[in-house]
Amino acid sequence: MLRRTTLVMALAVGALATGLAVTVPDKGTPLNLVAARDGQLTPVKPTTFTVVTPGKAISPRTSPVAPVKVGRFVTTPPRPATPVKVGQFKTIQLREITPTQARRARVVPNLLGQLKQIPITRQVPTGTCAISGGGGLFNHPYDFDVSGTAWYRTVPGSPGFYEWFQFAYKLDGLGVGTGDHSNASIRMHEAGTPKFENVSPNDRRLGMWYYVTPTSPVYTRTTSSVNLEFTGTFDRSRRDDPSCTARTGRL
């Protein structure tokens, strides 16, 4: 029995070497053994497993936040206001009119049914001033004076305002060597604040009234005190030009 088993094993090994199929007669179960034809066996590569190493979590980059100081606010500095010089007057334009035009402008028509629309015309007290001097061989004597007044009226629909619509002034007097380049200026103050100023051409004649009207309306508040200054500057040939200022009473 042992010999038979050994013989069968030997035949099986020989069959494997020659690539033949051998049937084992003992059990009746075919034993198919296949050997490589070239006699070389290809080694099988072992399965490679890749272990993933967990990476570190990367946090998003953020800009550093500057701490805010408690109670501190950053604001834009305000622009400095332009200071208004004391005594600075705004220049306005006056249009010269004839005495006839001046009288017509001061007449209030009495039309039936329009009484509420008729403005009330008033005149400020006339202000005057006088100046004299000179005497001697090289300084001729003179005696000059200035008169000035104005008219105003209520504004329809705006009872809190007055409209100043006409001004009048006169330069007068006597003087040896008086020239023909005299002038006059008008200044208005409202509640002590300069309102406007106008300077006439250097062609004012002595003894003549001049009537002027604003080219644009001039308004003051009815609750404000208003006063006017009329300054006359008298031309003297090759001599100093004297001047004086007539002031009206406060409105």
Side-chain angles (χ1 to χ4, degrees), residues 13-246:
V13 172
L16 289 175
T18 56
L20 300 177
V22 179
T23 303
V24 180
D26 185 25
K27 297 294 183 179
T29 302
L31 180 63
N32 297 326
L33 299 175
V34 180
R37 295 181 180 274
D38 54 2
Q40 296 180 356
L41 298 178
T42 304
V44 180
K45 295 182 180 180
T47 304
T48 304
F49 297 94
T50 304
V51 180
V52 179
T53 304
K56 296 182 180 180
I58 301 175
S59 59
R61 295 182 180 180
T62 57
S63 302
V65 179
V68 179
K69 295 184 179 181
V70 178
R72 185 178 181 180
F73 298 90
V74 179
T75 58
T76 303
R79 296 181 179 180
T82 303
V84 178
K85 296 181 180 179
V86 178
Q88 184 178 9
F89 289 86
K90 176 184 178 181
T91 301
I92 68 165
Q93 299 298 323
L94 298 179
R95 178 173 57 88
E96 192 171 327
I97 58 178
T98 64
T100 301
Q101 292 174 329
R103 286 192 297 270
R104 289 178 179 176
R106 296 193 299 267
V107 174
V108 179
N110 187 10
L111 299 177
L112 185 63
Q114 297 184 3
L115 296 179
K116 293 183 179 180
Q117 299 297 326
I118 296 176
I120 300 176
T121 302
R122 301 175 183 175
Q123 180 183 2
V124 297
T126 301
T128 59
C129 72
I131 185 172
S132 59
L137 182 61
F138 298 101
N139 190 7
H140 304 301
Y142 60 85
D143 188 7
F144 300 119
D145 60 81
V146 178
S147 300
T149 187
W151 288 264
Y152 62 97
R153 58 196 173 199
T154 57
V155 180
S158 300
F161 292 90
Y162 289 137
E163 178 189 0
W164 298 80
F165 66 96
Q166 192 176 131
F167 305 89
Y169 58 85
K170 181 181 71 169
L171 278 61
D172 205 354
L174 297 173
V176 178
T178 302
D180 56 357
H181 297 290
S182 299
N183 64 58
S185 63
I186 304 174
R187 294 184 180 91
M188 173 184 281
H189 293 81
E190 181 182 8
T193 302
K195 182 72 175 180
F196 77 84
E197 177 186 39
N198 177 270
V199 180
S200 74
N202 296 328
D203 60 356
R204 306 291 93 168
R205 297 180 180 180
L206 302 185
M208 177 178 176
W209 278 95
Y210 288 89
Y211 298 89
V212 290
T213 183
T215 58
S216 58
V218 176
Y219 300 108
T220 60
R221 296 183 180 274
T222 57
T223 55
S224 299
S225 59
V226 177
N227 66 335
L228 292 163
E229 296 179 351
F230 297 86
T231 301
T233 301
F234 301 88
D235 178 41
R236 299 177 68 213
S237 300
R238 298 184 297 274
R239 298 290 186 274
D240 293 338
D241 297 337
S243 63
C244 71
T245 300

